[in-house]
Amino acid sequence: MQRDIVQRPGTNGASTGAQPAARTSLPGNLLAPAAGRRFVAAALAEWSGLGLPAAVGFSERLADDAAVVVSELVTNAVVHAGTNVELLFRLEEATEDEAAALVLEISDHHPARAVRSDGSEGGFAGAAGPGEPAEYGRGLELVATLAERWGITYRTGLKTVWARLPVDDWNPFPDARPEPGFQQGLRAAELLAPTARRALRDDADWAGRGALSFLAEASDLLAGQLDEDIVAALAGQLLVPRLADWCAIWLEPETPGRAAVPRLAKVWHVDETRIQPLRTLLEGDPLRLPERVGTGPVSIPWPGSAEDDGQPDGLEGVALAYRITSGGRTLGAVLLGREGIARVPDEVTALIEDFVRRVGLAVGAARAYTRQATISRILQRGLLPSKVADIPGVVSSLVYEPSDDGVVGGDFYDIFPCPNDRWCFVLGDVQGSGPEAAVVTGLARPWLRLLAREGFQADEVLVRLNRLLLDDAMEAAEAAALMVAAAGGQHSADSGQSRFLSLLYGELVPLPGGGARCTLVSAGHPLPLLLRPDGTVRPAAEPQLLLGVMDDAVYETQSFDLAPGDSLLCVTDGVTERRSGPLMFDDEDGLAQALSGCAGLSAEGIADRIKHAVHAFAERPPDDDLALLVLQAE
């Protein structure tokens, strides 16, 4: 059961829209309100940068109001509940009934505590109680004044106070482009770190909830990064100034050896003007800790202490080094310093050791991803022809866009000549992705060329290819995938399962009077569409069984004349199944409708228009390989 307390007549609870959203967990101490304000400011800045609403929608007034509301609510949760505070900040788009709004939700884990306002029941949890300063009682008044509406929601083990602030001017950008992930990651680290003032560092707090909250937030942030330099940058900004006044992070090269030298990946200092001098001081002396020292702290001489009579800038203190490890392998080292003290408390050194262990896991995961992406790029180059053939009397235009996820896809294409004045074209898609799919693709394309050049007819080519896939391709794919995994790549969890192949295979024979005779076979593939000069569109083949399903499958061909001015559009399911919410691009013959508007365009013009229509169908970039081929008779 849940109960909503709403403080304005005629309103209900907070809306359920949740995109986009940002969330974090704050420690239940007096650092939380400032961290909450920075969190909201960073979310507003990031959403504006992403183009979600127009920048004018997030006015300075709105940003100030949001900061005041979150500061009051987080302060009250910390003071009166005393638990960790969960902060959710989301942007609700405008609807027919309501304007766009920013919604803040602040939750604590002590819902049984009495709800009071200036000592009276039925008020707000953060209001002043008996004997408390009167300033706390003004929190409710501020929230009620600034918010369009607000309320309290009770759930088992959780109490949430929410406030809804209307956006001044809602004007979404349709062509939003995200910032580079590196900048987004740095901003996320900045909002987690407290204000850079030594007075705010409380070593005693790290022995309790502060340490657990810090490690949880750091794990979530570091685990999502796929670049080791971003991991190093985030680690530096999480350490400084929370746990140190400065830090430096070295990373070992991927290929070990005597000539390998650790790379100084990140230097960070609480005083930004001292970052470059510190980097200059450290660059000439790479830090490499022997494995015998373990993963605990190692005391290191203060950088530059032997120079300038032992007084670098008049500030010395404690410098500690930690090995960065993952899977028993040394990946680098962290050096950090705290000025003006003689010893770092044991609970802090233990916390840093736990944190560095998480840095090692993140660096190891990022390197594994990089290896996988490198393997995928090498495989991808081998899947596709270096050049497609020119067909006499037929103009071709090809679009191929692999999904940018670091994993090789299964889409492939080819156009090649065959004996007896035949020209063959292929568009295929192997089920799944990764090394196994890549190997099947790498086998299927040369098999097709071999079978076609041996003189087999189109239907016979697919019958034989189907048998080869069932007999040999799966074993070869599994063996190759195991080799990739042994080399450090990723071995897919579905290894050993059948790899189905959808394929459109066609032959063109130029006709004496212009155009070409076209013969097609579509095995489980999106059907090709024929566009006539008058704008009429019709399917050019019949659907048939996927390859790799049944060993006794039989395939039939369809033939027609591709007359001058006719255009044949062939696509993979990355086009037809492009999604926008629950809808797909080809719902209600969407592809045919888009093609009918291309009458009179060249082959290149048709390919370009269809590509742009696919991209414009949804706000997010395509998450699948996109391939399309246009053949136009002259």
Side-chain angles (χ1 to χ4, degrees):
M1 297 291 291
Q2 78 175 37
R3 175 167 60 93
D4 287 344
I5 301 177
V6 182
Q7 295 303 120
R8 295 194 178 183
T11 60
N12 51 18
S15 304
T16 57
Q19 293 294 334
R23 68 178 67 239
T24 190
S25 178
L26 304 173
N29 57 40
L30 294 182
L31 297 179
R37 290 193 298 271
R38 285 193 298 274
F39 178 84
V40 170
L44 288 172
E46 180 167 336
W47 292 345
S48 294
L50 291 173
L52 295 175
V56 294
F58 289 160
S59 65
E60 291 185 8
R61 183 193 64 78
L62 179 64
D64 291 342
D65 289 353
V68 170
V69 169
V70 75
S71 181
E72 291 296 333
L73 296 182
V74 170
T75 297
N76 287 318
V78 169
V79 171
H80 295 278
T83 69
N84 284 357
V85 181
E86 314 299 329
L87 174 57
L88 170 64
F89 188 43
R90 69 173 186 266
L91 175 61
E92 292 186 348
E93 298 186 5
T95 65
E96 294 181 358
D97 300 325
E98 289 190 309
L102 301 173
V103 179
L104 289 158
E105 296 185 5
I106 291 83
S107 303
D108 63 64
H109 300 272
H110 202 326
R113 188 175 291 272
V115 179
R116 302 187 305 273
S117 178
D118 294 325
S120 61
E121 294 294 328
F124 175 59
E132 295 173 340
E135 284 76 10
Y136 286 112
R138 300 195 185 103
L140 173 58
E141 297 178 8
L142 285 173
V143 173
T145 300
L146 298 176
E148 178 186 67
R149 62 177 183 265
W150 68 275
I152 307 172
T153 301
Y154 293 93
R155 297 179 179 87
T156 302
L158 197 72
K159 177 173 80 268
T160 300
V161 183
W162 55 266
R164 192 175 192 275
L165 283 67
V167 174
D168 304 285
D169 184 10
W170 177 253
N171 181 23
F173 290 152
D175 298 323
R177 296 296 180 192
E179 287 185 322
F182 185 81
Q183 294 299 327
Q184 295 186 41
L186 292 186
R187 182 159 54 249
E190 289 168 358
L191 66 92
L192 285 174
T195 303
R197 289 185 293 170
R198 279 296 297 271
L200 292 179
R201 183 182 295 148
D202 184 3
D203 288 339
D205 185 60
W206 295 120
R209 295 191 305 268
L212 296 177
S213 177
F214 171 71
L215 291 174
E217 292 285 358
S219 296
D220 289 344
L221 183 60
L222 294 173
Q225 307 305 325
L226 300 176
D227 185 287
E228 62 181 60
D229 287 320
I230 295 181
V231 172
L234 293 175
Q237 294 200 26
L238 286 167
L239 282 172
V240 177
R242 278 187 162 189
L243 297 168
D245 293 304
W246 57 265
C247 76
I249 299 175
W250 283 265
L251 294 177
E252 294 281 351
E254 277 270 24
T255 305
R258 292 184 178 180
V261 177
R263 174 174 61 89
L264 186 56
K266 183 65 179 179
V267 175
W268 198 245
H269 200 291
V270 67
D271 181 357
E272 294 188 13
T273 63
R274 297 175 62 187
I275 293 176
Q276 189 55 46
L278 180 60
R279 173 177 283 276
T280 303
L281 183 65
L282 296 174
E283 278 179 332
D285 188 17
L287 178 63
R288 175 176 279 168
L289 299 175
E291 294 189 7
R292 66 175 181 272
V293 304
T295 60
V298 179
S299 295
I300 298 291
W302 190 263
S305 58
E307 304 174 8
D308 300 330
D309 299 327
Q311 298 297 325
D313 297 330
L315 292 172
E316 286 197 25
V318 178
L320 299 176
Y322 294 80
R323 273 199 316 135
I324 302 174
T325 63
S326 179
R329 180 184 176 187
T330 299
L331 302 182
V334 174
L335 176 64
L336 56 90
R338 296 184 68 168
E339 299 171 348
I341 63 172
R343 179 178 177 275
V344 179
D346 292 342
E347 59 268 19
V348 175
T349 61
L351 173 61
I352 297 173
E353 183 177 352
D354 284 343
F355 173 76
V356 173
R357 187 177 296 112
R358 285 159 172 79
V359 173
L361 293 174
V363 171
R367 289 190 171 184
Y369 175 85
T370 300
R371 288 193 296 270
Q372 177 69 36
T374 301
I375 293 170
S376 294
R377 285 193 294 270
I378 294 172
L379 288 172
Q380 192 81 58
R381 286 197 295 267
L383 301 181
L384 305 175
S386 57
K387 182 181 179 181
V388 295
D390 295 326
I391 305 174
V394 177
V395 179
S396 64
S397 182
L398 178 71
V399 173
Y400 179 72
E401 296 180 350
S403 61
D404 189 19
D405 58 2
V407 178
V408 65
D411 284 14
F412 66 97
Y413 60 85
D414 204 356
I415 302 176
F416 56 93
C418 286
N420 302 322
D421 199 26
R422 292 181 301 134
W423 302 82
C424 300
F425 61 93
V426 176
L427 202 59
D429 184 6
V430 178
Q431 168 256 337
S433 61
E436 299 95 324
V439 170
V440 175
T441 304
L443 292 172
R445 191 170 67 83
W447 279 343
L448 279 165
R449 284 197 172 206
L450 178 63
L451 292 169
R453 287 171 174 170
E454 285 295 314
F456 292 108
Q457 299 300 313
D459 55 342
E460 297 173 323
V461 168
L462 262 66
V463 168
R464 284 165 171 76
L465 178 61
N466 181 60
R467 292 173 182 167
L468 287 168
L469 286 170
L470 288 167
D471 292 343
D472 300 331
M474 300 308 113
E475 181 179 350
E478 175 66 9
L482 291 173
M483 293 175 63
V484 168
Q490 180 179 357
H491 190 202
S492 300
D494 61 352
S495 300
Q497 296 181 357
S498 297
R499 288 284 172 179
F500 304 135
L501 170 62
S502 77
L503 186 74
L504 177 67
Y505 175 76
E507 295 180 356
L508 291 172
V509 178
L511 297 174
R517 183 67 176 174
C518 182
T519 302
L520 291 173
V521 187
S522 180
H525 203 77
L527 297 180
L529 299 177
L530 179 63
L531 171 65
R532 299 293 190 186
D534 61 1
T536 59
V537 176
R538 70 169 180 84
E542 296 292 333
Q544 299 182 66
L545 188 65
L546 280 165
L547 297 170
V549 177
M550 297 176 57
D551 58 2
D552 59 350
V554 176
Y555 296 91
E556 298 179 354
T557 62
Q558 289 84 41
S559 298
F560 60 93
D561 287 343
L562 193 66
D566 288 349
S567 300
L568 185 68
L569 173 64
C570 312
V571 302
T572 59
D573 61 8
V575 173
T576 56
E577 296 181 7
R578 165 82 156 127
R579 287 192 171 273
S580 177
L583 303 178
M584 291 193 297
F585 182 73
D586 199 33
D587 285 347
E588 299 181 358
D589 296 326
L591 179 59
Q593 293 179 26
L595 181 60
S596 65
C598 298
L601 297 180
S602 64
E604 183 178 359
I606 294 173
D608 188 63
R609 180 171 292 187
I610 297 298
K611 179 189 75 173
H612 280 90
V614 173
H615 277 275
F617 184 68
E619 293 183 2
R620 292 180 177 272
D623 56 3
D624 192 8
D625 298 342
L626 188 154
L628 62 92
L629 172 65
V630 177
L631 300 171
Q632 188 175 78
E634 294 182 316

